Amino acid sequence: MKDSLSTINKILKIDQNIQGMDYLKVFVKNIAKFLNVKYVFIGHSIGTCCEQVQTDMVWANDDYFENFIYDLKDTPCEIVLSGKRVCIH
């Protein structure tokens, strides 16, 4: 548990003067770095039925990537937006 808290603290160690999209940039980069993953994105549902996600910030292979829209049907994210769970893949 101590290691988990240490990792969370490292991820959240972001200059508090940074705001908005600049904050999200540092946040996704920190998640990738400290969890040792290649891909991280933050997004929001679009439409009235939560059928699609629009990314707000994407980190892919050690760099920022262009935002995109994708369908939720049959993806792990489909259950996340239902409010039933959080997923990390």
Side-chain angles (χ1 to χ4, degrees):
M1 174 125 162
K2 188 173 182 179
D3 289 339
S4 297
L5 290 175
S6 174
T7 301
I8 291 168
N9 283 329
K10 289 175 186 174
I11 290 169
L12 294 175
K13 189 171 182 156
I14 300 172
D15 182 341
Q16 295 303 300
N17 292 315
I18 299 174
Q19 299 178 30
M21 297 308 275
D22 291 333
Y23 184 91
L24 292 181
K25 280 181 128 177
V26 176
F27 186 52
V28 296
K29 183 178 181 179
N30 283 356
I31 291 170
K33 178 181 177 182
F34 294 113
L35 294 181
N36 195 30
V37 295
K38 289 184 180 184
Y39 308 102
V40 177
F41 69 85
I42 296 172
H44 64 277
S45 63
I46 56 175
T48 56
C49 297
C50 295
E51 294 175 347
Q52 293 183 313
V53 166
Q54 164 69 60
T55 60
D56 298 308
M57 190 62 58
V58 180
W59 180 266
N61 292 318
D62 297 325
D63 204 355
Y64 300 101
F65 193 79
E66 185 176 325
N67 285 312
F68 56 91
I69 295 173
Y70 71 96
D71 293 325
L72 283 172
K73 184 71 178 153
D74 299 322
T75 69
C77 297
E78 185 176 26
I79 196 165
V80 172
L81 288 180
S82 73
K84 295 180 183 174
R85 66 182 308 170
V86 173
C87 294
I88 297 174
H89 299 277

